[in-house]
Amino acid sequence: MSDQTAIEAKLRQVFEEGVAFNRVLGLKVESFDADAPKLRFDMKPEVIGNPRRQILHGGVISAVLDVAAGFAIHLAASKSRSEEPHDGHFPTIGTIDLRVDYLRPGRGTYFIATGRVVRLGNRVAVAHMDLVNDSGELIATGGAAYMVG
Amino acid sequence: MSDQTAIEAKLRQVFEEGVAFNRVLGLKVESFDADAPKLRFDMKPEVIGNPRRQILHGGVISAVLDVAAGFAIHLAASKSRSEEPHDGHFPTIGTIDLRVDYLRPGRGTYFIATGRVVRLGNRVAVAHMDLVNDSGELIATGGAAYMVG
Amino acid sequence: MSDQTAIEAKLRQVFEEGVAFNRVLGLKVESFDADAPKLRFDMKPEVIGNPRRQILHGGVISAVLDVAAGFAIHLAASKSRSEEPHDGHFPTIGTIDLRVDYLRPGRGTYFIATGRVVRLGNRVAVAHMDLVNDSGELIATGGAAYMVG
Amino acid sequence: MSDQTAIEAKLRQVFEEGVAFNRVLGLKVESFDADAPKLRFDMKPEVIGNPRRQILHGGVISAVLDVAAGFAIHLAASKSRSEEPHDGHFPTIGTIDLRVDYLRPGRGTYFIATGRVVRLGNRVAVAHMDLVNDSGELIATGGAAYMVG
């Protein structure tokens, strides 16, 4: 197993299985694309915010975008250190802040959250995120800043 | 039962029982104080983001602050219309955007989220929120804008 | 002169000449492209924040991104109403909130700010913005929500 | 002259005189209060955004809040190092991001911007800001994150 494959397997395991709240949301890694990694989750009762309208909870959207940003930054940080022997530990990152723009009601059968790293400094990383539904409609966008290293 | 008591009972039921995701988080109304209503939730495995460090998931923090803001605005909006006969329906509010500043790791046995309405217009409402732990330490602050009416 | 040309001439005059603070910044309309209109300004002493480092003032960046968002929304709103006779008045828009991510030091001889409308509702519009320097480096990104109508 | 007085005199000189854009805005130090330092500026044509309504430009508001946050963090950082001999240099701080909530139209004869440091870490500092007019009305609030050290 190559180093990169090992890193991806470990990242998938941490994000999908290791974090209880991600299991509640049902988050799965959809893509390890280096520039725009993706997570996916399905519509289900636990993620609904308005039972009458059957749309996503605003807090689920913010939570998923936060995870998508962290996932993108972990992936970018692990790639940028791929020369060094990998010891199975991921860098500790801490969220500084998070912003979400809610653009359309969260209707759909499944949803894809994408994170893109727009700045990867020695101390601070910034990611942009978006959430689309199974029709490709843009539900929300966001930005987040993290401490890294 | 007075109108205000009826509104509070209905709001509690909607927020605590009617929204599945709020039940996942374990959110309970702690205070109906008009200026600074509060929600409470307990530390438990489902809300942890980093199993090694046993701290709150950043997405849980953003989700709880989103609910606290919505709760404060619903409460303020229902009070500002208390002259009219109350029909059991709450105004439809839609989140425009949400921001969270993460100030300290989310350690504690329980947490209190407070919402404060800083602008209640005909079309747009704005709330500020904060989250403290059981020791009163400030974990996070936030702001959110909503469409109302 | 066509209606569209008249609208553009009027918009240019309002943004470049009618608003004193825009004159201080030296903002000029660079493009009326409907999807991504652009403003431009030159480096000059009045926009510098750190005399030693000769980089843009953070407040100048936030101010320019705010104007770029408002410009994009005015342009989109005027186009979406182009069926109606145009009376020379622009819709009143009010900023609800603004966020800026500072990605790189603001070095350059001139700068281009682009606004993109990502939501144009009856009541609320949302725009994303970015600022690049004369080398095409991304200096900052932002988002803003506005009341319209 | 005590060290603290010397630091304040230097900070005042840098913020009021050293930065050209601050001079354009007409910013003056109103208070060196450690918990909530204040800047002041007067209404004048250069800061108006809407000539018909005679209200502050949204970009002026964001710019002033950015300066108020940086001022509060510089002041807090210089106090936290007051044991060390002061060499006349201030720590380099870089804005990570900035958010502004616009709550009321910016009417008034003068305005006071206050910054409050809510987190002062080794690497990241966070401030909350507000802007009031000469009647004490809250015009805008904001938050900003900075790299320090």
Side-chain angles (χ1 to χ4, degrees):
Chain A
M1 197 156 69
S2 75
D3 265 16
Q4 194 55 42
T5 308
I7 289 172
E8 290 182 6
K10 177 73 180 166
L11 262 179
R12 181 190 295 273
Q13 191 260 321
V14 167
F15 272 84
E16 292 185 358
E17 303 300 325
V19 180
F21 186 61
N22 293 359
R23 290 200 306 269
V24 170
L25 297 172
L27 286 171
K28 300 289 177 192
V29 176
E30 174 81 6
S31 161
F32 283 103
D33 178 66
D35 293 326
K38 294 176 196 304
L39 302 171
R40 175 190 163 138
F41 68 104
D42 293 328
M43 176 60 87
K44 58 177 181 174
E46 288 83 352
V47 298
I48 289 178
N50 188 320
R52 192 162 34 87
R53 302 178 63 205
Q54 292 286 308
I55 56 175
L56 288 180
H57 194 292
V60 168
I61 293 173
S62 68
V64 167
L65 291 184
D66 175 61
V67 178
F71 181 66
I73 288 170
H74 270 107
L75 190 63
S78 63
K79 282 180 193 296
S80 76
R81 293 165 195 193
S82 59
E83 321 77 35
E84 311 164 33
H86 185 67
D87 63 356
H89 292 292
F90 292 99
T92 301
I93 71 170
T95 317
I96 298 169
D97 53 39
L98 172 73
R99 293 94 54 216
V100 178
D101 284 314
Y102 296 90
L103 302 178
R104 287 182 189 79
R107 290 197 187 86
T109 57
Y110 69 85
F111 303 90
I112 303 284
T114 304
R116 289 175 181 85
V117 178
V118 293
R119 168 182 176 170
L120 186 61
N122 289 329
R123 298 188 294 171
V124 172
V126 175
H128 287 180
M129 306 84 79
D130 63 56
L131 184 74
V132 299
N133 64 11
D134 54 291
S135 306
E137 287 180 316
L138 188 62
I139 306 297
T141 58
Y146 293 83
M147 277 184 292
V148 293
Chain B
M1 196 157 68
S2 75
D3 264 18
Q4 194 54 41
T5 308
I7 289 173
E8 290 182 6
K10 179 72 181 166
L11 262 179
R12 180 190 295 272
Q13 191 260 320
V14 167
F15 273 85
E16 292 185 356
E17 303 301 324
V19 179
F21 186 61
N22 293 358
R23 289 200 306 269
V24 170
L25 298 173
L27 286 171
K28 300 290 176 190
V29 176
E30 174 82 5
S31 160
F32 283 103
D33 177 65
D35 293 327
K38 293 175 196 307
L39 302 172
R40 173 188 164 139
F41 67 104
D42 292 329
M43 176 58 88
K44 58 177 182 174
E46 288 85 352
V47 298
I48 288 179
N50 188 321
R52 193 161 34 87
R53 300 179 63 205
Q54 293 284 308
I55 56 175
L56 288 180
H57 194 293
V60 168
I61 293 173
S62 68
V64 167
L65 291 184
D66 175 61
V67 178
F71 181 66
I73 289 170
H74 270 108
L75 190 64
S78 63
K79 281 181 193 294
S80 76
R81 292 162 195 195
S82 59
E83 322 78 35
E84 308 164 34
H86 185 69
D87 65 357
H89 292 292
F90 293 98
T92 301
I93 72 171
T95 316
I96 298 169
D97 54 39
L98 170 74
R99 291 96 55 216
V100 179
D101 284 314
Y102 296 89
L103 302 179
R104 286 183 189 80
R107 290 198 185 86
T109 56
Y110 69 86
F111 303 90
I112 303 285
T114 304
R116 291 177 180 84
V117 179
V118 293
R119 168 181 175 171
L120 185 60
N122 290 328
R123 299 188 293 172
V124 171
V126 176
H128 287 180
M129 306 83 79
D130 63 57
L131 183 75
V132 299
N133 65 11
D134 55 291
S135 305
E137 287 181 316
L138 188 62
I139 305 297
T141 58
Y146 293 84
M147 277 184 290
V148 292
Chain C
M1 195 157 68
S2 76
D3 265 18
Q4 196 53 44
T5 308
I7 290 173
E8 290 182 6
K10 178 72 181 166
L11 262 178
R12 180 190 295 272
Q13 190 260 320
V14 167
F15 273 84
E16 292 184 356
E17 303 301 324
V19 179
F21 185 61
N22 293 359
R23 288 200 307 268
V24 170
L25 297 172
L27 286 170
K28 300 290 176 190
V29 176
E30 174 81 6
S31 161
F32 284 101
D33 177 65
D35 293 326
K38 294 178 196 306
L39 302 172
R40 174 189 163 137
F41 68 104
D42 292 328
M43 177 59 87
K44 59 177 181 173
E46 289 83 352
V47 298
I48 289 179
N50 187 320
R52 194 162 33 89
R53 300 178 64 206
Q54 293 283 311
I55 57 176
L56 288 180
H57 193 292
V60 168
I61 292 173
S62 69
V64 167
L65 291 184
D66 175 61
V67 178
F71 181 66
I73 289 171
H74 270 108
L75 190 63
S78 64
K79 281 180 193 294
S80 76
R81 293 165 194 191
S82 59
E83 321 79 34
E84 310 163 35
H86 186 69
D87 63 355
H89 292 294
F90 294 98
T92 301
I93 72 171
T95 316
I96 297 170
D97 53 40
L98 171 74
R99 291 96 53 218
V100 178
D101 284 314
Y102 296 90
L103 303 179
R104 285 182 190 80
R107 290 196 187 86
T109 55
Y110 68 86
F111 303 91
I112 303 285
T114 304
R116 290 177 180 84
V117 179
V118 293
R119 167 182 178 170
L120 185 60
N122 290 328
R123 297 188 292 173
V124 172
V126 175
H128 287 182
M129 305 83 80
D130 63 54
L131 183 74
V132 299
N133 64 13
D134 55 292
S135 305
E137 288 181 315
L138 187 62
I139 305 297
T141 58
Y146 294 82
M147 279 184 291
V148 291
Chain D
M1 195 156 69
S2 76
D3 265 16
Q4 195 53 44
T5 307
I7 290 173
E8 290 183 7
K10 178 73 180 166
L11 262 179
R12 179 190 297 273
Q13 191 260 322
V14 168
F15 273 84
E16 293 185 357
E17 302 301 324
V19 180
F21 186 60
N22 293 359
R23 289 200 307 268
V24 170
L25 297 172
L27 286 170
K28 299 291 176 188
V29 176
E30 174 80 6
S31 160
F32 283 102
D33 177 66
D35 294 326
K38 293 177 197 306
L39 301 172
R40 173 187 163 139
F41 67 104
D42 292 328
M43 177 59 88
K44 59 176 181 175
E46 288 84 352
V47 297
I48 288 179
N50 187 320
R52 194 163 32 88
R53 301 178 65 207
Q54 292 284 309
I55 57 176
L56 288 180
H57 194 292
V60 168
I61 293 174
S62 67
V64 167
L65 291 184
D66 176 60
V67 178
F71 181 66
I73 289 171
H74 270 107
L75 190 62
S78 63
K79 282 182 192 295
S80 76
R81 295 166 193 191
S82 58
E83 320 78 34
E84 310 163 34
H86 186 69
D87 65 354
H89 291 293
F90 293 99
T92 301
I93 72 171
T95 315
I96 298 169
D97 52 39
L98 171 74
R99 294 93 56 217
V100 178
D101 284 314
Y102 296 89
L103 303 178
R104 286 183 188 79
R107 288 196 189 87
T109 56
Y110 68 87
F111 303 90
I112 304 284
T114 304
R116 289 176 181 85
V117 178
V118 293
R119 167 182 177 172
L120 186 61
N122 289 328
R123 297 188 295 172
V124 172
V126 175
H128 286 181
M129 306 82 80
D130 63 54
L131 183 74
V132 299
N133 65 11
D134 55 292
S135 306
E137 288 181 316
L138 188 63
I139 304 298
T141 58
Y146 293 82
M147 278 184 292
V148 292

